[in-house]
Amino acid sequence: MGEMDTAYRRLFQHKELLRDLLACVLSRGLMASLDWDRMRPVPAGHVSDQLRQRTGDCVWLIPRKTLSHGAAEGAPTPGTGICGKAGPLEQVPPQGLCILLLLELQSRPDDVMALRLVSYTGLSYQTLLNSKLIRVPLPPVLPVVLYSGRRRWRAPLDFGGLLGDIPADLQPYQPQMRYLLVHEAELLQAAGLPQRNLATLLFRLQRSRDIEQWRALLHTLTEVVRQQPGHEELNRSLTVWLQHMAQRSAPPTEVLPPVKTLQELDMMIAEKPGLWARQWLREGRKEGRQEGRQEGRQEGRQEGQADLLLHLLQQRFGPVPEDIVQRIQAAQSAQLRAWSLNILDAETLDQVFQN
């Protein structure tokens, strides 16, 4: 993992930024029901070696707010569905319901992300149970994938989308899980995002290539960060990440002066606006060319495979039903190749889509 990726992941270890990210995509009712002041990351010492090797991102336990009579809203009988006492979680009341938040950061699409999250969820539950941080009944899980790339995310959003045709007798036994995809670029295109929201400002800074607009966003971000309790560490993390963004596109002979805070960064840009503008504009052109080429090649391959498969099906079985056409057009390259090979032995259209 490069320094840039490490710096970006570090940002989402700050609960203030994580809270603002979820405020962009969750309902107000759910956000209001969660006790953000007492949310805690799962301590590293309580996560198994297997889980540490398989997930490099964030796992949090977030308590539900309790009602005036002392029981959590919608809670079962006292002593169940709890966050137990251990390490940083010791302040969570025994009767408080929690949610288990899994955050996975992706810069590229992953065809089997749903499978990965099923695995991460099971490992997280198991290690938390072993560490006595939770008890049965288990807290509900919220799996979130934060995607920063520009290519379309074509991977299935639920585990069922990875499965082939399932005999009716076996359907009740299949795993079921869906994850929440947060596509940064699409999120910015949506109307109604909160303006003074840390996540909104972060994503706009990441994509703005106009130096004056960038500085205006930086001013707003600095003001919002100042309002956060204990904002110094968040300030430093944001500064490190922004410096990495600019420096990674600079020529080896052009080293940007180090700064420690957003305020210092703003002053440095004011002193040398041309230097910083070159870095941002160069980075924008580079990203656009690279991701545009990658996306064009990938989409071109998949469209060509889909068209060829439809042509072969029509030649072999006649007109193809509309639901089959849609299924083919939404499929990934590996699946299209497998179906194309099935045509060789299939006697009916249905057999083409069997594993």
Side-chain angles (χ1 to χ4, degrees):
M1 185 187 301
E3 291 184 356
M4 182 65 188
D5 290 337
T6 301
Y8 196 56
R9 279 167 165 74
R10 181 183 177 188
L11 292 178
F12 289 93
Q13 293 174 6
H14 293 277
K15 63 181 180 182
E16 299 86 0
L17 182 53
L18 192 57
R19 177 199 61 208
D20 277 13
L21 169 65
L22 295 178
C24 295
V25 293
L26 298 182
S27 68
R28 292 184 180 180
L30 179 56
M31 291 293 296
S33 73
L34 299 175
D35 193 338
W36 298 98
D37 291 334
R38 295 187 300 136
M39 68 179 292
R40 298 289 186 271
V42 174
H46 293 295
V47 179
S48 69
D49 291 338
Q50 186 181 16
L51 182 58
R52 265 200 300 271
Q53 291 168 3
R54 298 191 62 178
T55 177
D57 300 315
C58 307
V59 182
W60 295 77
L61 281 171
I62 310 178
R64 296 275 301 278
K65 290 181 179 177
T66 55
L67 302 178
S68 58
H69 56 74
E73 180 184 0
T77 56
T80 61
I82 68 167
C83 293
K85 294 185 177 182
L89 302 175
E90 60 187 1
Q91 297 178 1
V92 177
Q95 73 275 19
L97 285 175
C98 301
I99 70 167
L100 176 64
L101 172 65
L102 303 180
L103 177 65
E104 181 73 12
L105 277 66
Q106 288 288 127
S107 59
R108 298 178 181 178
D110 186 336
D111 291 347
V112 293
M113 177 54 68
L115 173 60
R116 288 175 56 191
L117 284 168
V118 167
S119 176
Y120 295 166
T121 300
L123 287 169
S124 297
Y125 276 140
Q126 190 61 60
T127 53
L128 290 170
L129 283 168
N130 292 344
S131 302
K132 303 187 185 306
L133 295 178
I134 59 174
R135 293 204 298 265
V136 176
L138 303 175
V141 64
L142 173 60
V144 179
V145 174
L146 178 60
Y147 174 52
S148 58
R150 300 188 184 220
R151 293 168 52 192
R152 290 180 59 189
W153 184 276
R154 296 178 178 272
L157 299 181
D158 60 84
F159 185 78
L162 297 176
L163 300 176
D165 291 333
I166 307 170
D169 290 350
L170 299 182
Q171 288 180 357
Y173 309 109
Q174 306 311 304
Q176 297 182 23
M177 184 173 183
R178 185 177 181 88
Y179 60 89
L180 173 60
L181 176 68
V182 182
H183 190 322
E184 294 179 8
E186 293 181 359
L187 189 65
L188 286 179
Q189 294 174 2
L193 285 180
Q195 297 301 307
R196 295 177 65 84
N197 175 289
L198 289 170
T200 302
L201 293 168
L202 183 72
F203 301 152
R204 286 177 176 163
L205 275 168
Q206 190 172 353
R207 285 164 174 76
S208 174
R209 299 305 161 193
D210 179 271
I211 191 63
E212 293 305 320
Q213 181 188 52
W214 197 91
R215 287 195 66 196
L217 288 168
L218 179 60
H219 279 302
T220 304
L221 179 65
T222 304
E223 294 175 2
V224 173
V225 169
R226 281 177 179 167
Q227 298 171 5
Q228 306 297 325
H231 66 273
E232 293 84 2
E233 186 60 34
L234 176 60
N235 191 317
R236 284 192 292 269
S237 295
L238 286 164
T239 305
V240 168
W241 174 71
L242 290 170
Q243 276 205 292
H244 275 300
M245 283 196 67
Q247 186 64 64
R248 69 175 178 172
S249 62
T253 57
E254 194 169 289
V255 179
L256 297 173
V259 292
K260 296 181 179 179
T261 66
L262 296 174
Q263 294 86 341
E264 291 180 12
L265 178 60
D266 189 31
M267 292 174 59
M268 189 68 67
I269 296 174
E271 293 173 2
K272 298 182 179 181
L275 173 62
W276 286 87
R278 286 199 302 275
Q279 308 317 322
W280 287 104
L281 292 174
R282 183 186 294 119
E283 181 67 17
R285 289 194 295 270
K286 182 179 74 174
E287 286 183 353
R289 288 195 299 268
Q290 290 177 344
E291 297 197 11
R293 286 196 296 266
Q294 290 174 353
E295 183 171 0
R297 286 195 295 266
Q298 176 68 16
E299 292 190 357
R301 282 195 299 268
Q302 290 185 190
E303 289 176 3
Q305 287 177 298
D307 290 343
L308 177 59
L309 177 57
L310 285 170
H311 176 73
L312 293 174
L313 292 174
Q314 290 168 354
Q315 292 295 316
R316 181 77 182 275
F317 302 107
V320 180
E322 182 61 27
D323 61 326
I324 297 295
V325 174
Q326 293 178 3
R327 185 176 178 184
I328 291 172
Q329 290 174 343
Q332 301 295 316
S333 294
Q335 185 64 77
L336 291 170
R337 287 195 298 271
W339 289 337
S340 297
L341 292 173
N342 287 349
I343 293 178
L344 299 174
D345 301 316
E347 297 181 359
T348 66
L349 183 61
D350 289 340
Q351 290 178 356
V352 174
F353 302 96
Q354 293 177 356
N355 291 334

